[in-house]
Amino acid sequence: SNAIGQEKQLTAKTNKGGIVLTSGDQDYKINFNGRIYMDGVHYFDDVTDLSSDASIHDVRLGTKVTWGKWIAKINIGFGNDEVKIKDAFLRYNYSKNSTFTLGNFFEPFGIEASASSGASNTTQAMGIGRSIGLGYTYYTNKFYGSTGVFAGSVDNMNKGDQGFSTTSKLAYTPISKENLTVQLGGSFTYRIPEANGFNEAFNDDDYNRQVVLNAGPEHKFLNADITGARTDMRFNFQALVLSGPFMFQSEFTQTNVTRDDDYMSRLMKDGPAFYVTYVWPTKPKDYPDWYGKLRDIQTKAYYAQIGFLVGDNYSYKSSTAYINRPKAGTYEFLVRYDNTNLNDIDGTYFNGAYGDADLATALTGVGNMSIAGGKAETYSAAVNYYLNDNIMFRLNYSLMDVTNQKYPLDEKIGMLKARVQVNF
Amino acid sequence: SNAIGQEKQLTAKTNKGGIVLTSGDQDYKINFNGRIYMDGVHYFDDVTDLSSDASIHDVRLGTKVTWGKWIAKINIGFGNDEVKIKDAFLRYNYSKNSTFTLGNFFEPFGIEASASSGASNTTQAMGIGRSIGLGYTYYTNKFYGSTGVFAGSVDNMNKGDQGFSTTSKLAYTPISKENLTVQLGGSFTYRIPEANGFNEAFNDDDYNRQVVLNAGPEHKFLNADITGARTDMRFNFQALVLSGPFMFQSEFTQTNVTRDDDYMSRLMKDGPAFYVTYVWPTKPKDYPDWYGKLRDIQTKAYYAQIGFLVGDNYSYKSSTAYINRPKAGTYEFLVRYDNTNLNDIDGTYFNGAYGDADLATALTGVGNMSIAGGKAETYSAAVNYYLNDNIMFRLNYSLMDVTNQKYPLDEKIGMLKARVQVNF
Amino acid sequence: SNAIGQEKQLTAKTNKGGIVLTSGDQDYKINFNGRIYMDGVHYFDDVTDLSSDASIHDVRLGTKVTWGKWIAKINIGFGNDEVKIKDAFLRYNYSKNSTFTLGNFFEPFGIEASASSGASNTTQAMGIGRSIGLGYTYYTNKFYGSTGVFAGSVDNMNKGDQGFSTTSKLAYTPISKENLTVQLGGSFTYRIPEANGFNEAFNDDDYNRQVVLNAGPEHKFLNADITGARTDMRFNFQALVLSGPFMFQSEFTQTNVTRDDDYMSRLMKDGPAFYVTYVWPTKPKDYPDWYGKLRDIQTKAYYAQIGFLVGDNYSYKSSTAYINRPKAGTYEFLVRYDNTNLNDIDGTYFNGAYGDADLATALTGVGNMSIAGGKAETYSAAVNYYLNDNIMFRLNYSLMDVTNQKYPLDEKIGMLKARVQVNF
């Protein structure tokens, strides 16, 4: 009968150091997962002092439950004593290599999906994290495609309508042999940034949309805060080559933000609000004249890295379009060059603002709101030791060659980072 | 021996999609539970702009452990990236149908125990959530009784002595046949609201007690903030009829708040505090003269809803005095009418305050502190689809007919809500 | 093969009311742990009003996973709706009685490791909690030694370089017979307090280091806030005697804080900052003249307690250097005397500040920044009932005899506390 059918015996197993309980018919399955990421960082700072620090960057608890073709995953982060909903989604396995996902999960963009602290500055600055949405993924041995529509991030508690985005990734692996894998891919996202708050006085929920791109130590030297944003479009190209113990990986990302500030709202806030018949002598159009015209902003970044394994060969995993974890006892050596440029500056910098390219015109006060988020070339070398399927040690040294108008005296920033990573 | 007795083999089973591990003698049992509630809401707002939104309203992880007659339950919420202790209690099964519970759990009041977002405005505004206390529950096939004493909510971190409440619910089910269940019940609670903070300067912990009743979108149109509260008494009548695939459910709730502001403290804060020999010319009794007299406040709300199942019949569960979850594959259609009135207004509204009913007297400045929390009639229609014991989809449309002095231009608010609910 | 070796069947067991799943070769093991601590406290306050309160002081969820010699433990606290990473560490069992631990865990200091609410005022005020670090522990039947280096606490989100500490504990148990255990021990810690924030304007990360020692109800009557701290050195002596149903336990702790405020930074903040060529007439050395000289601070505290069991005898556990939990059904009676002195006052209190001991000199304005954190003698009596291995009930009455300059009218504070403690 139905009631008997519902109660099933489960068998407990460990697989790759994790735990799973499964019913005999494989119809019911439950995993428990967790994570501890411990970090120590020492800065060899230049002029601006940086805070060397030991931290429990990420700690997580979670579970994954499977009922036939449906999977629910919960994974909550508690790093630095703050709650963050990581994965919280319901997934439907439509067919073997094809899934629908609804909830909070990573938007499919680039190789290094998550802007985690191990990622390149390129990915930290312009990568995209998790959002609430609906996604679809399909893959074969040679092809990986993932797309979705999203409605802002789970931690945006601001009032104001949430953002919107649609993000897609395609990866093609023309060569996928035992001793050579070559993958090329691209990603694209179109986004309406989230509103930052709601103005009760003006009943305005569409105000103060903002795109923030930042990376690196304390987000100091790479930090572009693009106010008055209207749309945010990004694309990414990726390449991955695996050959025995060698790996090459590279990504290029470009971000285009269009801007269109709501001068009417700003005026309303600044001046007395004669909401309907407006009489104050200032006009909304005076704002760009006074403070400079908003410019659309374009930023670019790329990195390339080479990896070398001692004790294992690299292998490719079609379902994630990325690399499998090396086996226990493997050492991994990595070098990376990263070039992240968050400047989009037009004209001359004069008297604290960006003026016209022509100095004479600039002197008349004709300005623009360029973005000087800074740029950096970063050289990194890392060694990882995979103790087993669950424990990894990492030592990383980076040298950042920085050019940032806000920190004119800083030139070279050294960073030595140690990490212990426990996953199950 | 004892030591051997303590170590017992456990058998793992899944039951209704959840997981439980049990010792052979049934003396030890452990469950793991979780939840994801994903919500999307689109407002068809009238004049005041509302923030349409997708959110992970509720995510939970927890466990329940049984040692013989003792049960400990932990269930923590992480919705919207905020921690909320939900259930955290120790329960003693005194006899088969009789339990004592100590810790954080729902006060027994009304049908829709929790003021969750699916609940009616009646319940959202005047229902009672979880508190820390000691409760006792007893039930038979025909009778359900639950009572408790409570000492404020777990998330009141304010200084000042916590609140107190005693809450009881009785439900009687005269007819409980296979094709007809009729239940009538009532609940009652008497409460001393929690103090909102402690005034160091005046060594005063009993100040600023407050009763807040609110419901609906962003708590805008239904929001009664009753300051100077002394006691809060509420009662509820409930009716439930199940007949095959039909269900009728209705609740009426009334709240009576007595008020008695501490004018002495207010004066102390306003004027220089000659604590012992008081000489300032203002006297505490001047306050009600200036700002109006506090009035005791009475608010009322009720709703009635009809449900219809396609694919199952409604069935009654004595231990919760409510309905069992319909079986997998069932559709549920619901319509509801809700009438929530958070106004208790006396006299004429004049010059920004409530004056005497007699306009001539009001003109002399004789006023009162009436509460204009707004009122709303809400018509809702919902369809639920129970995919299995763990996954449910819901679509709900509500139309709120609003009357609120603070939002005079808003009349009809439409809300379309979609929810995916995962429980195990 | 390796792949088959990785997938292993697990057996589920309950042990002391907890749950563990183990592989046949004992190489893989996973536990799940949880906790609920419910507290009610009623204050018989003297003059200053204290907030009587019921609270869920501590709720936790966690897990511990063993892969051979490696153990990862995660234990997260949600008490009072706040996230706290408790244990989050990776441990390596170097040999049977010798472990290395990396992550967030208790620094080894004194008997009552954790400054939990059940601890004496001595321990609350001067005990040390968890920090991020690397530790080593070794023990035999007669000897327990633990040492570590630490880099500040997990919840210090302030900018500024983190603190540093090295902490060690040695305990020697010359007599360890069935009817008599005698243990003596000592602990030592040397600490650089954590910086409280980073001053952007002065690029100063080493500013505002602070040692806060506090204990007792709402940290009101025992609270020493030692600003301008440079180093913090503490030592502890402990004694433990167990004899059948009797227990004697005592600790003495002394804290020595050296101070050296950064007058240059204070001056920079107060006056206009001519950073390089400094011209303002005030000089950094004027500060100690105006506000008093910083003094190094020494505080002392000790307690002694006697326990008596009805239903069991006390027994000693070498691996923790402490007592085993009494068996189910045992009553424990405890009395304690605690003397905590957080005053280090020099000279005469005159005109709102501490002057020179000689009144004539004090009148010239020569002062010092003494610390008047208050002192208290506390007499406590408690009864614990161990219902089983997982549930404990506790009733505790304490009378605090208080002397605190900031609360001159408070003399005797009574506290009645009830606790229900669930652990698994």
Side-chain angles (χ1 to χ4, degrees):
Chain A
S1 91
N2 207 21
I4 289 172
Q6 280 173 340
E7 183 163 313
K8 292 175 188 167
Q9 289 276 133
L10 302 180
T11 312
K13 267 179 284 195
T14 178
N15 188 4
K16 303 219 167 208
I19 178 172
V20 56
L21 292 101
T22 322
S23 65
D25 56 6
Q26 299 291 317
D27 203 54
Y28 181 83
K29 210 179 286 190
I30 183 165
N31 302 66
F32 296 96
N33 52 67
R35 165 188 290 199
I36 317 175
Y37 283 14
M38 294 177 268
D39 288 293
V41 57
H42 186 83
Y43 293 111
F44 304 94
D45 38 29
D46 196 349
V47 168
T48 298
D49 198 30
L50 296 164
S51 303
S52 295
D53 188 70
S55 66
I56 308 276
H57 190 82
D58 202 355
V59 193
R60 295 202 203 159
L61 289 172
T63 186
K64 194 174 85 178
V65 190
T66 306
W67 303 279
K69 292 187 158 221
W70 294 86
I71 296 172
K73 185 170 180 195
I74 301 176
N75 188 247
I76 312 287
F78 306 107
N80 295 336
D81 282 358
E82 282 163 17
V83 172
K84 275 288 228 182
I85 297 173
K86 301 290 182 176
D87 294 324
F89 59 71
L90 181 64
R91 178 165 286 166
Y92 178 67
N93 287 323
Y94 177 69
S95 69
K96 193 173 174 300
N97 296 333
S98 155
T99 59
F100 290 91
T101 308
L102 181 70
N104 199 52
F105 59 98
F106 276 115
E107 298 193 28
F109 189 83
I111 294 184
E112 299 180 316
S114 126
S116 86
S117 67
S120 64
N121 284 335
T122 295
T123 306
Q124 282 185 57
M126 300 203 226
I128 295 169
R130 289 177 179 86
S131 301
I132 303 177
L134 172 67
Y136 172 74
T137 300
Y138 173 76
Y139 69 92
T140 65
N141 277 353
K142 300 225 164 219
F143 177 79
Y144 178 93
S146 189
T147 188
V149 287
F150 301 89
S153 84
V154 76
D155 45 326
N156 179 20
M157 295 297 98
N158 293 326
K159 288 274 177 273
D161 287 325
Q162 287 203 305
F164 164 82
S165 62
T166 177
T167 302
S168 300
K169 173 179 170 176
L170 291 175
Y172 178 57
T173 313
I175 306 174
S176 173
K177 292 191 269 188
E178 206 187 311
N179 62 349
L180 183 65
T181 303
V182 176
Q183 187 204 70
L184 293 169
S187 306
F188 176 82
T189 185
Y190 175 81
R191 318 176 71 76
I192 307 288
E194 296 188 280
N196 277 306
F198 176 83
N199 188 328
E200 289 273 350
F202 301 109
N203 191 29
D204 177 10
D205 73 339
D206 190 31
Y207 125 106
N208 200 16
R209 296 191 188 263
Q210 200 174 4
V211 173
V212 179
L213 309 176
N214 52 34
E218 299 175 14
H219 295 172
K220 273 205 163 101
F221 308 112
L222 289 172
N223 197 328
D225 182 352
I226 308 169
T227 53
R230 198 163 50 98
T231 68
D232 169 4
M233 191 272 286
R234 306 182 194 184
F235 57 84
N236 170 287
F237 295 111
Q238 64 174 71
L240 180 68
V241 179
L242 310 178
S243 176
F246 289 98
M247 177 264 269
F248 169 81
Q249 173 182 326
S250 182
E251 287 187 79
F252 168 85
T253 306
Q254 180 174 321
T255 299
N256 292 10
V257 178
T258 64
R259 296 161 93 193
D260 177 16
D261 204 358
D262 186 350
Y263 295 114
M264 188 66 185
S265 286
R266 282 178 66 171
L267 180 55
M268 286 291 156
K269 278 181 289 170
D270 290 355
F274 298 92
Y275 202 83
V276 182
T277 56
Y278 184 76
V279 295
W280 205 35
T282 305
K283 293 176 201 66
K285 68 172 265 306
D286 293 335
Y287 277 74
D289 289 349
W290 294 344
Y291 299 114
K293 281 173 74 169
L294 285 176
R295 301 177 59 254
D296 293 352
I297 298 298
Q298 192 179 85
T299 68
K300 289 174 189 177
Y302 61 92
Y303 74 88
Q305 75 178 22
I306 292 170
F308 179 69
L309 291 184
V310 176
D312 197 4
N313 283 336
Y314 284 106
S315 67
Y316 182 74
K317 189 176 187 177
S318 310
S319 64
T320 60
Y322 198 53
I323 303 168
N324 285 305
R325 183 186 174 102
K327 73 181 188 203
T330 303
Y331 284 89
E332 182 176 37
F333 297 90
L334 293 158
V335 291
R336 181 164 63 200
Y337 168 76
D338 180 275
N339 187 313
T340 298
N341 187 346
L342 303 181
N343 286 337
D344 187 347
I345 299 175
D346 184 56
T348 52
Y349 189 71
F350 172 74
N351 208 13
Y354 292 97
D356 197 275
D358 177 56
L359 187 60
T361 318
L363 285 168
T364 69
V366 171
N368 70 73
M369 294 185 73
S370 288
I371 291 292
K375 60 181 170 185
E377 288 181 282
T378 309
Y379 306 84
S380 308
V383 53
N384 298 332
Y385 177 65
Y386 297 89
L387 180 84
N388 59 27
D389 286 327
N390 308 98
I391 300 170
M392 191 259 261
F393 300 95
R394 180 183 180 93
L395 196 67
N396 180 85
Y397 177 78
S398 294
L399 184 70
M400 245 175 116
D401 190 341
V402 161
T403 314
N404 187 309
Q405 215 167 261
K406 268 168 270 162
Y407 299 90
L409 301 176
D410 288 285
E411 293 190 353
K412 302 258 189 279
I413 314 291
M415 290 164 273
L416 185 64
K417 292 184 192 173
R419 168 175 281 190
V420 179
Q421 205 167 301
V422 181
N423 285 79
F424 60 92
Chain B
S1 90
N2 206 22
I4 291 171
Q6 278 173 341
E7 184 163 312
K8 291 175 189 168
Q9 289 275 132
L10 302 181
T11 311
K13 267 179 283 195
T14 178
N15 187 5
K16 301 217 167 209
I19 177 170
V20 57
L21 292 100
T22 322
S23 65
D25 57 7
Q26 300 289 318
D27 203 52
Y28 181 83
K29 210 178 285 189
I30 183 165
N31 303 67
F32 296 96
N33 52 67
R35 166 188 290 198
I36 316 175
Y37 282 15
M38 295 177 269
D39 287 294
V41 57
H42 186 83
Y43 294 111
F44 305 93
D45 38 28
D46 196 350
V47 169
T48 298
D49 198 28
L50 297 164
S51 302
S52 296
D53 188 69
S55 66
I56 309 275
H57 189 81
D58 203 354
V59 192
R60 295 201 203 161
L61 290 172
T63 185
K64 195 175 84 177
V65 191
T66 306
W67 305 279
K69 293 189 157 219
W70 295 86
I71 296 172
K73 185 171 179 194
I74 300 176
N75 189 246
I76 312 287
F78 306 107
N80 294 336
D81 283 357
E82 283 164 16
V83 172
K84 275 288 229 183
I85 298 173
K86 301 290 182 178
D87 294 324
F89 59 71
L90 181 65
R91 178 165 286 168
Y92 178 68
N93 287 323
Y94 179 70
S95 70
K96 192 173 176 299
N97 296 334
S98 155
T99 59
F100 290 91
T101 307
L102 181 71
N104 199 51
F105 60 98
F106 276 115
E107 300 193 27
F109 190 83
I111 295 183
E112 298 180 317
S114 126
S116 85
S117 67
S120 63
N121 284 336
T122 295
T123 306
Q124 283 185 58
M126 299 204 227
I128 295 169
R130 290 177 180 86
S131 301
I132 302 176
L134 173 67
Y136 173 75
T137 299
Y138 174 77
Y139 67 93
T140 65
N141 276 354
K142 300 224 163 219
F143 177 79
Y144 178 93
S146 188
T147 187
V149 287
F150 301 90
S153 85
V154 77
D155 45 325
N156 179 20
M157 295 298 98
N158 292 327
K159 287 274 176 273
D161 288 323
Q162 286 202 305
F164 164 82
S165 61
T166 178
T167 303
S168 300
K169 173 179 170 176
L170 291 174
Y172 179 58
T173 313
I175 305 173
S176 172
K177 292 192 269 189
E178 206 190 309
N179 63 350
L180 183 64
T181 303
V182 177
Q183 186 206 68
L184 294 169
S187 307
F188 177 83
T189 185
Y190 175 82
R191 319 175 71 76
I192 307 288
E194 296 188 280
N196 276 306
F198 176 81
N199 188 329
E200 288 274 349
F202 303 109
N203 191 28
D204 177 9
D205 73 339
D206 189 33
Y207 124 108
N208 200 16
R209 295 191 188 265
Q210 200 174 6
V211 173
V212 178
L213 310 175
N214 52 34
E218 299 174 15
H219 294 173
K220 272 205 164 103
F221 309 112
L222 290 172
N223 196 329
D225 182 351
I226 308 170
T227 53
R230 200 163 48 98
T231 67
D232 170 4
M233 192 272 287
R234 305 181 195 185
F235 57 83
N236 169 287
F237 296 111
Q238 65 175 72
L240 180 69
V241 179
L242 311 178
S243 176
F246 289 100
M247 178 265 270
F248 170 81
Q249 173 183 327
S250 183
E251 288 187 80
F252 169 85
T253 306
Q254 181 174 321
T255 300
N256 291 10
V257 177
T258 64
R259 295 160 94 193
D260 178 15
D261 204 357
D262 186 350
Y263 294 115
M264 188 65 185
S265 287
R266 281 179 66 173
L267 182 53
M268 287 290 156
K269 276 180 291 171
D270 290 355
F274 299 91
Y275 201 82
V276 182
T277 55
Y278 184 77
V279 294
W280 204 37
T282 304
K283 293 176 201 68
K285 66 171 268 306
D286 293 335
Y287 276 76
D289 289 349
W290 292 345
Y291 299 114
K293 281 173 75 169
L294 284 175
R295 301 177 57 254
D296 294 351
I297 298 299
Q298 193 178 84
T299 67
K300 289 174 190 177
Y302 61 92
Y303 75 89
Q305 76 179 23
I306 291 168
F308 179 69
L309 291 184
V310 175
D312 197 4
N313 283 337
Y314 285 105
S315 68
Y316 182 74
K317 189 175 187 178
S318 309
S319 63
T320 59
Y322 198 53
I323 303 167
N324 285 304
R325 183 186 174 104
K327 72 183 188 201
T330 304
Y331 284 89
E332 182 176 37
F333 298 89
L334 293 158
V335 291
R336 181 164 65 198
Y337 169 76
D338 179 276
N339 187 314
T340 298
N341 187 346
L342 303 181
N343 286 338
D344 187 348
I345 298 174
D346 184 56
T348 51
Y349 189 71
F350 172 74
N351 207 12
Y354 292 97
D356 198 275
D358 176 57
L359 188 58
T361 319
L363 285 168
T364 67
V366 172
N368 69 73
M369 295 185 70
S370 288
I371 291 292
K375 62 182 172 183
E377 288 182 283
T378 309
Y379 306 84
S380 309
V383 54
N384 298 332
Y385 177 64
Y386 297 89
L387 180 85
N388 59 27
D389 287 325
N390 308 98
I391 300 169
M392 191 258 261
F393 300 95
R394 180 183 179 92
L395 197 68
N396 180 85
Y397 178 78
S398 292
L399 184 69
M400 245 176 115
D401 191 341
V402 161
T403 313
N404 187 310
Q405 217 167 260
K406 269 167 271 163
Y407 299 90
L409 301 177
D410 288 284
E411 292 190 353
K412 301 258 189 283
I413 315 291
M415 289 164 275
L416 185 63
K417 292 183 192 173
R419 166 175 282 190
V420 179
Q421 204 167 301
V422 181
N423 286 79
F424 60 92
Chain C
S1 91
N2 205 23
I4 289 172
Q6 279 174 341
E7 184 162 312
K8 292 175 188 168
Q9 289 276 132
L10 302 180
T11 312
K13 268 179 281 196
T14 177
N15 187 6
K16 302 217 169 211
I19 178 171
V20 57
L21 292 100
T22 322
S23 65
D25 57 8
Q26 299 291 316
D27 203 54
Y28 182 83
K29 211 180 282 190
I30 184 166
N31 302 67
F32 296 96
N33 52 66
R35 166 189 288 198
I36 317 174
Y37 283 15
M38 294 176 268
D39 288 292
V41 56
H42 186 83
Y43 294 110
F44 304 94
D45 39 28
D46 195 348
V47 169
T48 298
D49 199 28
L50 296 164
S51 302
S52 295
D53 189 68
S55 66
I56 309 276
H57 189 80
D58 202 354
V59 193
R60 294 201 204 160
L61 289 172
T63 185
K64 194 173 85 178
V65 190
T66 305
W67 304 279
K69 290 187 159 221
W70 294 86
I71 296 172
K73 185 171 179 195
I74 300 176
N75 188 247
I76 312 288
F78 306 108
N80 295 337
D81 282 357
E82 283 164 17
V83 172
K84 276 288 229 182
I85 298 173
K86 301 291 181 177
D87 295 323
F89 60 72
L90 181 64
R91 178 166 286 168
Y92 178 66
N93 287 324
Y94 177 70
S95 70
K96 193 173 174 299
N97 296 334
S98 156
T99 58
F100 289 91
T101 308
L102 181 71
N104 200 50
F105 59 97
F106 276 115
E107 299 193 27
F109 190 83
I111 295 183
E112 299 179 317
S114 129
S116 86
S117 68
S120 63
N121 283 336
T122 294
T123 305
Q124 283 185 57
M126 298 204 227
I128 295 169
R130 288 176 181 86
S131 302
I132 302 177
L134 173 67
Y136 173 73
T137 300
Y138 174 76
Y139 68 93
T140 65
N141 276 353
K142 298 226 165 220
F143 177 80
Y144 178 93
S146 188
T147 188
V149 287
F150 301 90
S153 84
V154 77
D155 45 325
N156 180 19
M157 295 298 98
N158 291 326
K159 287 275 177 271
D161 288 323
Q162 286 202 304
F164 164 82
S165 61
T166 177
T167 302
S168 300
K169 174 179 169 176
L170 291 175
Y172 178 57
T173 313
I175 306 174
S176 171
K177 293 192 270 190
E178 206 189 311
N179 63 349
L180 183 66
T181 302
V182 176
Q183 187 206 67
L184 294 169
S187 306
F188 177 82
T189 186
Y190 174 81
R191 317 175 72 76
I192 307 288
E194 296 187 280
N196 277 306
F198 176 82
N199 188 329
E200 289 273 351
F202 302 109
N203 191 28
D204 177 9
D205 73 339
D206 189 34
Y207 125 105
N208 200 16
R209 296 190 188 265
Q210 200 175 6
V211 173
V212 178
L213 310 176
N214 52 34
E218 298 174 16
H219 295 173
K220 272 206 164 105
F221 308 113
L222 290 172
N223 197 328
D225 183 350
I226 309 170
T227 53
R230 199 163 48 98
T231 67
D232 170 4
M233 192 271 288
R234 305 181 195 186
F235 57 85
N236 170 286
F237 295 112
Q238 65 174 72
L240 181 69
V241 179
L242 309 178
S243 176
F246 288 99
M247 177 265 268
F248 170 81
Q249 173 182 327
S250 183
E251 287 188 79
F252 169 85
T253 306
Q254 181 174 321
T255 299
N256 290 11
V257 177
T258 63
R259 296 161 93 193
D260 178 16
D261 205 357
D262 186 350
Y263 294 116
M264 189 66 185
S265 286
R266 282 179 65 172
L267 181 54
M268 287 290 156
K269 277 180 290 168
D270 289 356
F274 298 91
Y275 200 82
V276 182
T277 56
Y278 184 76
V279 296
W280 204 35
T282 304
K283 294 175 200 69
K285 66 171 268 304
D286 293 336
Y287 275 75
D289 289 349
W290 293 344
Y291 298 115
K293 281 174 74 169
L294 284 176
R295 302 178 56 254
D296 293 352
I297 298 298
Q298 192 178 86
T299 68
K300 290 175 188 175
Y302 61 91
Y303 75 88
Q305 76 178 24
I306 291 170
F308 180 69
L309 291 185
V310 175
D312 196 3
N313 284 336
Y314 283 106
S315 67
Y316 182 74
K317 189 175 185 177
S318 309
S319 64
T320 60
Y322 199 54
I323 303 167
N324 285 304
R325 184 186 172 103
K327 71 181 191 203
T330 303
Y331 284 90
E332 181 176 37
F333 298 90
L334 292 158
V335 291
R336 180 164 65 199
Y337 169 78
D338 179 275
N339 187 314
T340 298
N341 187 346
L342 302 181
N343 286 338
D344 187 349
I345 298 175
D346 184 57
T348 51
Y349 189 71
F350 172 74
N351 208 11
Y354 292 96
D356 196 275
D358 176 57
L359 188 58
T361 319
L363 286 168
T364 68
V366 172
N368 69 73
M369 295 185 70
S370 288
I371 292 292
K375 61 182 172 183
E377 289 182 282
T378 309
Y379 306 85
S380 308
V383 54
N384 298 333
Y385 177 65
Y386 297 89
L387 180 85
N388 58 29
D389 286 325
N390 309 97
I391 301 169
M392 191 259 262
F393 300 95
R394 181 183 180 92
L395 197 68
N396 179 86
Y397 178 77
S398 293
L399 184 69
M400 246 177 116
D401 191 341
V402 161
T403 313
N404 186 310
Q405 217 166 261
K406 269 167 271 163
Y407 299 91
L409 301 176
D410 288 284
E411 292 189 353
K412 302 256 189 283
I413 315 292
M415 290 163 273
L416 185 64
K417 292 183 191 172
R419 167 176 280 190
V420 178
Q421 204 168 301
V422 181
N423 286 78
F424 59 93

